Amino acid sequence: YISGVEPIFDHLILDEVCPYSFPVLAEDRDNFLMNARKKGIFLEATFSNAPFLNIPIVLNNNEDFGKTETLANKIISFPVYQDLTPDTLSRIVNALRL
């Protein structure tokens, strides 16, 4: 358990899936990412520019996407791809426990 984050999904939909990342919600994403970096853990803000209104081909760029933006500003991707060892994942979790 890592304080300040909550999993978006509690299990994989298909057993044979190996996701690239494990998305979580963090109430204070930017502060969480900064503290992780201080501990040598470099995570990503998954949707750092959502709701993507600056993309020229977006036709509805004057709409309010408040819920999308609020959710996007909380998502962090933890690495879980197949090259990571259980030891590496354990070190990441232990470093981020508060």
Side-chain angles (χ1 to χ4, degrees):
Y1 176 77
I2 299 173
S3 179
V5 298
E6 176 184 332
I8 294 176
F9 305 103
D10 61 358
H11 66 280
L12 294 174
I13 295 171
L14 301 172
D15 290 337
E16 57 274 355
V17 170
C18 182
Y20 176 77
S21 67
F22 180 70
V24 298
L25 298 175
E27 219 30 66
D28 187 356
R29 180 191 69 189
D30 295 336
N31 190 46
F32 185 89
L33 292 173
M34 181 182 66
N35 287 330
R37 279 187 210 106
K38 288 178 182 177
K39 296 176 180 182
I41 309 296
F42 298 91
L43 303 172
E44 296 179 11
T46 306
F47 297 110
S48 58
N49 60 350
F52 316 112
L53 299 177
N54 297 333
I55 299 172
I57 62 170
V58 172
L59 300 177
N60 54 346
N61 61 3
N62 60 346
E63 283 189 43
D64 178 23
F65 292 96
K67 289 182 180 180
T68 300
E69 192 169 4
T70 298
L71 180 63
N73 287 334
K74 295 179 180 184
I75 298 178
I76 298 171
S77 291
F78 278 77
V80 293
Y81 49 88
Q82 64 270 19
D83 289 341
L84 292 176
T85 65
D87 182 55
T88 301
L89 292 173
S90 181
R91 283 189 281 136
I92 291 171
V93 170
N94 287 332
L96 296 175
R97 285 193 172 134
L98 300 176

